[in-house]
Amino acid sequence: MSDLVEVIDSRKKIDVNKIREDFPVLHQEVNGKPLAYFDNAATTQKPLQVIDALQAYYEKDNSNIHRGAHTLASRATAHFESTRNHIREFINAPSSEEVIFTKGTTESINLVANTYGRKFIQEGDEIIISTMEHHSNIVPWQMLCENNNAILKVIPIFKNGELDFEAYKKLLSPKTKLVAVVHASNALGTVNPIKDMIQLAHEYGAKFLVDGAQSTAHLPVDVQELDCDFLAFSAHKLYGPTGVGVLYGKRELLEKMPPYQGGGEMIKEVRFENTTYNDIPYKFEAGTPNIADVIAFDQALTFIKDCGKDKIHAHESQLLAYAFDKCATIKGFEPIGTADEKVSVMSFNIKNTHPFDVGIMLDASGIAVRTGHHCTQPLMDWYGIEGTVRASFAVYNTVEEIDRLYNSLVRIAKRKN
Amino acid sequence: MEDINAIQDEIIGEFEILGDDKESTIYYIMELGDQLPDFPETERKEDNIIKGCQSKVWLITNLQDGKIQFLADSNTAITKGLISLLIRVLSGRKAKDIMNADLYFIEKIGMGNIIGSQRSNGLAAMIKQMKMFALAYQSKIDA
């Protein structure tokens, strides 16, 4: 009986050692120690499948996409558009025309602010964000508010890093035209109750943008189930290449929105007297896109699918719980962000020690973490801290690596505690 | 000047013992910072911050018997350690010697590899500021 349980358990689990074989970058020494890479919330490492796809594209298929009469152009176009369709599947969008390629989450958000925002946000209208937003989900809205004389409102949070839902309810009013909130916080790991938030916003007729930069790699994100109006995320946090982002938008909104940038691809006909614009998604994709990286991203999506998102989530949750339990015993360990629902982010400080010093001491032990304000300065101000140390876990991280992190932190904490 | 170079050679010798072990080197630099004398709370102000460093570095000076004494502090232990090395070499020297000092120990101990390029810029800013103080004192003496 116990054997059977073990077999079933192993089917649910990820074979980390096998997965690690696909990531060449992990197999190196840093400062004389094996690399333990815990900076996954900044960017994940890339599996061989992605690296090979990049090389194969340049070796065999390199060509500009769309409108080409030759075979290479057709091949490149087919691969490019096939990735778009796989992204549609990945987020369960109704159609691939609602999937727009950008260069990252930041550009996706800026696109919405500069098109939907500029046209539909009027003087006195209100935009709601939260205290835990990344600068890329704050500054574009500040710029829009300044330009259109609109008002920015901020949802407060609790000490444990959870959003104050009751306060959110009170901020909503008929004046609210847009809510832009992060699904999972990059600095704290908090997962926000985004589905309920979207439903409430819609009751007031407001549109809802989800910043999915940190959630798409860890949680199921189904845009139809969530009923979000926009979703922004980046390929490079999903084991894909840098320089590729996605904006999902509901068709009726995308069609009403003016173009973002002018140029090739985004037009139907150009006359000096009058230019007509292309249909979605191309209306928002001026110029030659990042073809190679988009095509290679397809392999990252396949990698995630093969691993199984539920298994990835289970593995990362186990690592997070293990890391927190272990580190909580260290004298001077101060966790920042202890919400019930979290992605695999462990943000913390060591008492009497600057986060940068912790980072540099961990680096000397071959352990890569991020230190600083994590592009969430208002959040750090709210906590009254300069920054944190952030260890963020991915599918290829191991319990042994966390043991090394713990051992190094014990030594670091002892210096001043 | 001989004193300055003797201290530099001493530091080079200490770092040679540490060898390539980055962990020991980093911890050692931080320990050196811990040994700096306490920095006066009243001097921890904006005017005394060295510009161009990623970390906050406060630096003040005074002249004793024609020699410049440096006092410094930083909000990060690694930077405090680095500045403690500079203080060990340059504090208690004549203005002219500080201005003319060739700080070869920085390259010899492989500081660039230890702290990275961004921190190296900060270290250069610290040295520049210390030499500027020396220049200012020297101008006073010459006047």
Side-chain angles (χ1 to χ4, degrees):
Chain A
M1 187 65 188
S2 67
D3 286 351
L4 184 63
V5 172
E6 261 178 41
V7 170
I8 292 169
D9 270 359
S10 71
R11 280 187 193 159
K12 282 190 209 155
K13 276 187 183 165
I14 263 171
D15 186 348
V16 184
N17 289 330
K18 196 162 180 296
I19 283 172
R20 287 178 71 86
E21 286 172 13
D22 287 341
F23 289 84
V25 77
L26 299 175
H27 306 285
Q28 64 175 301
E29 288 199 340
V30 168
N31 297 318
K33 312 274 167 34
L35 168 66
Y37 184 80
F38 292 139
D39 196 16
N40 297 290
T43 197
T44 52
Q45 298 301 344
K46 321 304 172 198
L48 269 174
Q49 299 89 309
V50 170
I51 300 165
D52 290 347
L54 264 177
Q55 186 160 351
Y57 169 77
Y58 283 121
E59 281 181 358
K60 291 174 190 150
D61 296 337
N62 178 45
S63 181
N64 211 332
I65 53 168
H66 303 138
R67 296 176 318 280
H70 60 86
T71 305
L72 262 60
S74 303
R75 276 209 305 253
T77 305
H79 287 163
F80 186 86
E81 290 303 329
S82 153
T83 306
R84 197 193 300 275
N85 193 42
H86 289 147
I87 293 167
R88 182 199 66 71
E89 275 175 24
F90 184 70
I91 57 172
N92 193 30
S95 74
S96 55
E97 286 89 52
E98 292 164 299
V99 173
I100 296 157
F101 285 116
T102 63
K103 62 176 192 243
T105 306
T106 301
E107 194 182 38
S108 297
I109 296 171
N110 275 280
L111 192 159
V112 176
N114 283 293
T115 58
Y116 182 85
R118 294 268 171 151
K119 187 161 179 187
F120 296 108
I121 305 289
Q122 314 291 335
E123 187 171 344
D125 285 349
E126 292 177 1
I127 297 171
I128 297 179
I129 59 172
S130 85
T131 305
M132 67 179 88
E133 298 311 313
H134 189 281
H135 295 162
S136 63
N137 201 27
I138 300 174
V139 185
W141 308 119
Q142 285 178 323
M143 290 160 73
L144 174 64
C145 286
E146 199 178 338
N147 195 69
N148 291 20
N149 291 317
I151 299 150
L152 194 64
K153 300 261 175 174
V154 183
I155 310 165
I157 59 166
F158 297 114
K159 192 83 186 167
N160 69 351
E162 280 176 10
L163 203 118
D164 184 343
F165 201 83
E166 289 306 310
Y168 168 58
K169 281 186 189 167
K170 284 180 194 148
L171 285 177
L172 283 163
S173 80
K175 284 185 184 171
T176 312
K177 290 294 176 292
L178 187 91
V179 182
V181 169
V182 71
H183 193 178
S185 156
N186 72 311
L188 305 171
T190 309
V191 177
N192 287 316
I194 217 84
K195 195 179 169 185
D196 294 342
M197 294 180 78
I198 292 168
Q199 200 184 337
L200 263 179
H202 286 167
E203 282 173 21
Y204 287 89
K207 304 299 176 207
F208 203 109
L209 178 142
V210 176
D211 172 354
Q214 296 294 336
S215 60
T216 37
H218 311 282
L219 307 168
V221 178
D222 178 330
V223 292
Q224 294 192 70
E225 199 215 331
L226 290 174
D227 196 26
C228 60
D229 299 287
F230 300 104
L231 169 73
F233 62 98
S234 300
H236 74 96
K237 294 189 200 286
L238 282 158
Y239 309 101
T242 52
V244 176
V246 173
L247 173 68
Y248 157 80
K250 280 183 182 167
R251 177 185 290 274
E252 72 259 30
L253 296 175
L254 294 178
E255 284 176 346
K256 279 199 296 189
M257 282 153 59
Y260 180 36
Q261 292 174 327
E265 285 282 316
M266 54 77 70
I267 49 86
K268 220 171 229 156
E269 280 189 320
V270 177
R271 300 280 178 274
F272 285 121
E273 301 74 32
N274 179 33
T275 289
T276 51
Y277 304 125
N278 208 335
D279 296 327
I280 61 166
Y282 309 112
K283 181 168 87 174
F284 298 105
E285 294 180 355
T288 298
N290 187 351
I291 305 166
D293 291 305
V294 164
I295 289 173
F297 180 38
D298 203 13
Q299 292 302 316
L301 294 171
T302 306
F303 167 78
I304 292 171
K305 206 172 158 188
D306 289 349
C307 289
K309 230 182 189 184
D310 51 339
K311 286 185 187 173
I312 295 176
H313 184 58
H315 174 68
E316 291 170 347
S317 300
Q318 190 197 358
L319 292 178
L320 183 71
Y322 182 76
F324 258 117
D325 283 353
K326 211 150 184 193
C327 295
T329 62
I330 301 171
K331 199 180 167 212
F333 179 81
E334 297 172 331
I336 314 286
T338 50
D340 284 343
E341 291 286 320
K342 274 175 67 116
V343 291
S344 49
V345 167
M346 182 169 82
S347 219
F348 62 94
N349 273 315
I350 299 291
K351 212 173 172 188
N352 304 319
T353 312
H354 196 278
F356 181 79
D357 287 326
V358 178
I360 206 160
M361 285 185 273
L362 288 175
D363 177 60
S365 315
I367 299 167
V369 294
R370 189 134 300 241
T371 63
H373 55 58
H374 316 296
C375 290
T376 57
Q377 277 184 327
L379 178 67
M380 295 297 124
D381 288 347
W382 187 87
Y383 276 104
I385 53 179
E386 225 179 296
T388 74
V389 183
R390 182 186 72 187
S392 49
F393 311 121
V395 64
Y396 40 66
N397 288 126
T398 66
V399 169
E400 292 75 28
E401 287 178 318
I402 290 172
D403 286 339
R404 283 181 52 207
L405 172 70
Y406 165 80
N407 290 334
S408 294
L409 287 177
V410 168
R411 186 175 174 199
I412 291 165
K414 263 189 193 152
R415 279 190 78 247
K416 298 281 177 182
N417 293 288
Chain B
M1 194 62 88
E2 262 176 34
D3 283 352
I4 285 181
N5 290 351
I7 299 284
Q8 292 199 83
D9 294 339
E10 203 176 283
I11 293 171
I12 293 165
E14 288 164 13
F15 277 77
E16 264 168 16
I17 295 167
L18 290 165
D20 288 338
D21 187 52
K22 188 162 175 185
E23 212 170 353
S24 311
T25 310
I26 293 282
Y27 276 82
Y28 179 64
I29 295 172
M30 288 182 179
E31 270 168 37
L32 294 178
D34 290 345
Q35 289 160 17
L36 273 182
D38 285 344
F39 191 81
E41 216 39 63
T42 47
E43 297 295 341
R44 216 182 294 270
K45 53 189 181 188
E46 197 66 32
D47 287 352
N48 292 330
I49 287 181
I50 299 179
K51 297 196 175 41
C53 298
Q54 277 192 320
S55 308
K56 277 184 188 154
V57 179
W58 297 271
L59 179 72
I60 54 169
T61 59
N62 61 65
L63 199 63
Q64 278 175 14
D65 306 325
K67 288 171 180 173
I68 301 174
Q69 304 292 332
F70 290 103
L71 260 183
D73 200 1
S74 173
N75 62 340
T76 69
I78 185 73
T79 310
K80 201 171 167 182
L82 294 177
I83 201 154
S84 82
L85 288 172
L86 294 176
I87 285 180
R88 192 165 141 199
V89 174
L90 297 178
S91 198
R93 315 281 175 208
K94 287 182 184 153
K96 226 172 206 160
D97 291 342
I98 294 168
M99 284 159 60
N100 296 331
D102 166 24
L103 299 173
Y104 57 84
F105 82 100
I106 291 167
E107 205 189 315
K108 280 264 181 181
I109 63 173
M111 192 56 83
N113 287 336
I114 298 170
I115 59 171
S117 59
Q118 279 175 309
R119 296 277 141 180
S120 296
N121 293 340
L123 190 67
M126 288 182 218
I127 295 167
K128 193 175 159 196
Q129 187 61 42
M130 290 169 109
K131 290 202 171 197
M132 288 292 279
F133 273 124
L135 180 70
Y137 279 118
Q138 190 60 45
S139 316
K140 265 190 206 166
I141 294 164
D142 293 343

